[in-house]
Amino acid sequence: MWNHSPRLAVSAAFALNGTLFGTWAARVPAVVDRFDLSEGALGLLLLAMGIGALVSFPLAGGLADRRGAYQMSCALAVMYLASVVAIGLAPGVYWLAAALFVFGAGHGAMDVTMNSWASEVERASGKSIMSRFHAMWSLGAGIGAAGGWLATGLSVSLEAHFVMSALFSTLVYGPLMRVTWASRRSTPGQSTPLFALPRGALVLVGLVAMCAGLGEGAAADWSAVYLRDVIGTSESQAALAYATFSVTMVAMRICVDPLITRFGAGRVARISGLFAATGYLIALGLPSLGFALTGYVLMGIGYAAIIPLAFSRAASDPDVSAGKAIASVATLGYGAMLLGPPAIGFIAEISNLRVSLAMIGVMALLIAALSGHLRRP
């Protein structure tokens, strides 16, 4: 009945996940204004969203193993769509906190199951295609952010915008996600832990994902601050840093898979780590707008393939099921994205921002040093 490509279906799942996240991210200022939130209150709400994601990882991994990654990706997409509508319709702060917890859980759980599904499609294709799926997430996030920009310009209410975003995602991505696909299933194992943590050989894979997560989180939350406060650029010029990083990430993820197929995951990861570290060296050592943007281009090139490679390696682990393996690596990778930026701020308080960002650059060198552990067994 459903005759389109499984690769198209997985791409649609990644794009749906990214679009809904981009929708939320673009309207955070509007949420702050609507509920008159202080910075501390917003931080607590974001923490609720992050906790929802972290708690969901092991649950989603177990469900993907037992009920099938494809089946769970479709089911969780419905939950994720409903949570976006709930955020828009939240009548008060406590309802908003609950909606964001579910939103974080839906986002995180679907992230685990769709990566597990993507690894099955990748394995069936016989070549590396995971980075292209992650490029579709970035593209979806851009679509969601563009929709937020348009809604803001047209003075569309939060309620209407979030409902329209959910409806758009359902009608556009939903049919494309429907495909004839039989995911592997395993028998139920031990009880699910509160947080999924890697073990055995996956510890080092998770460490690589953590280093990449730190880099991506630092670029998202601190690049504009670095350009404005340290280099002394204008507000609009400072915004170019993350835009440059993001565009480079998307472009690199689209074209890096043939390189992985030809040269191998280990060699690509090693060169990627060196690119990211060189980017920090240029951006921090030559503090001017042009060199800083050049540095963020190199960082985008360097970090683009690492998380997809870590997930592909986790899914092929011989000792741990794909769902649980991806969940454990996601805990470190995405946990670093959530907790890394506050740690950067703390280190900057006792030293300075350049020192704290230099430490992230050192972590990029660790990616290069541990690159061999991303090879499939």
Side-chain angles (χ1 to χ4, degrees):
M1 181 177 180
W2 308 103
N3 296 319
H4 54 260
S5 164
R7 290 175 60 173
L8 178 60
V10 176
S11 296
F14 274 78
L16 181 148
N17 191 287
T19 297
L20 297 184
F21 189 83
T23 297
W24 152 253
R27 297 308 299 269
V28 170
V31 172
V32 170
D33 292 343
R34 177 178 178 180
F35 294 98
D36 193 23
L37 299 174
S38 65
E39 291 182 354
L42 177 61
L44 289 174
L45 289 170
L46 295 177
L47 181 62
M49 186 173 74
I51 291 174
L54 290 174
V55 171
S56 75
F57 290 151
L59 297 173
L63 287 171
D65 290 334
R66 293 193 298 271
R67 300 186 180 181
Y70 164 62
Q71 290 79 2
M72 288 309 306
S73 294
C74 293
L76 288 166
V78 176
M79 169 185 166
Y80 194 29
L81 287 161
S83 70
V84 171
V85 175
I87 293 173
L89 300 178
V93 174
Y94 293 109
W95 285 102
L96 177 63
L100 282 173
F101 178 86
V102 177
F103 177 80
H107 170 74
M110 186 181 175
D111 198 78
V112 170
T113 60
M114 71 184 184
N115 271 286
S116 184
W117 177 23
S119 71
E120 295 175 357
V121 175
E122 182 182 52
R123 191 177 298 111
S125 74
K127 56 185 178 181
S128 177
I129 54 175
M130 183 68 82
S131 292
R132 294 180 187 177
F133 295 142
H134 282 255
M136 292 303 101
W137 188 94
S138 299
L139 180 62
I143 291 172
W149 173 80
L150 183 63
T152 301
L154 297 175
S155 300
V156 177
S157 68
L158 276 175
E159 295 94 330
H161 176 211
F162 280 41
V163 168
M164 287 190 292
S165 179
L167 185 61
F168 167 84
S169 298
T170 300
L171 295 178
V172 174
Y173 303 125
L176 296 177
M177 286 178 62
R178 301 295 300 272
V179 68
T180 301
W181 185 264
S183 285
R184 296 174 302 169
R185 302 188 186 193
S186 61
T187 56
Q190 299 176 340
S191 59
T192 302
L194 180 61
F195 293 105
L197 293 174
R199 58 185 177 86
L202 287 177
V203 172
L204 295 178
V205 178
L207 184 58
V208 172
M210 185 187 75
C211 293
L214 285 170
E216 292 189 39
D221 292 341
W222 287 102
S223 59
V225 176
Y226 172 71
L227 262 67
R228 187 193 63 189
D229 294 351
V230 177
I231 296 180
T233 67
S234 66
E235 196 85 25
S236 59
Q237 288 175 328
L240 290 173
Y242 187 61
T244 299
F245 178 85
S246 299
V247 170
T248 305
M249 285 270 286
V250 174
M252 189 63 185
R253 282 177 167 171
I254 290 173
C255 66
V256 75
D257 282 320
L259 298 176
I260 297 171
T261 301
R262 180 174 180 180
F263 298 108
R267 183 177 298 178
V268 169
R270 181 166 61 255
I271 296 173
S272 295
L274 294 175
F275 263 101
T278 302
Y280 276 103
L281 181 63
I282 292 174
L284 300 177
L286 302 169
S288 69
L289 177 61
F291 281 117
L293 294 181
T294 300
Y296 279 101
V297 167
L298 295 177
M299 292 177 213
I301 293 173
Y303 288 122
I306 301 303
I307 292 290
L309 282 174
F311 283 158
S312 290
R313 167 60 184 84
S316 62
D317 192 84
D319 301 318
V320 183
S321 63
K324 291 181 180 178
I326 289 175
S328 68
V329 169
T331 298
L332 289 186
Y334 292 127
M337 288 187 198
L338 294 170
L339 302 178
I344 291 170
F346 175 74
I347 295 171
E349 276 292 320
I350 60 178
S351 57
N352 60 63
L353 185 56
R354 189 173 290 171
V355 169
S356 58
L357 291 177
M359 296 177 66
I360 308 300
V362 173
M363 300 294 278
L365 288 175
L366 190 58
I367 293 175
L370 298 176
S371 59
H373 295 279
L374 294 184
R375 298 190 189 97
R376 292 186 181 185

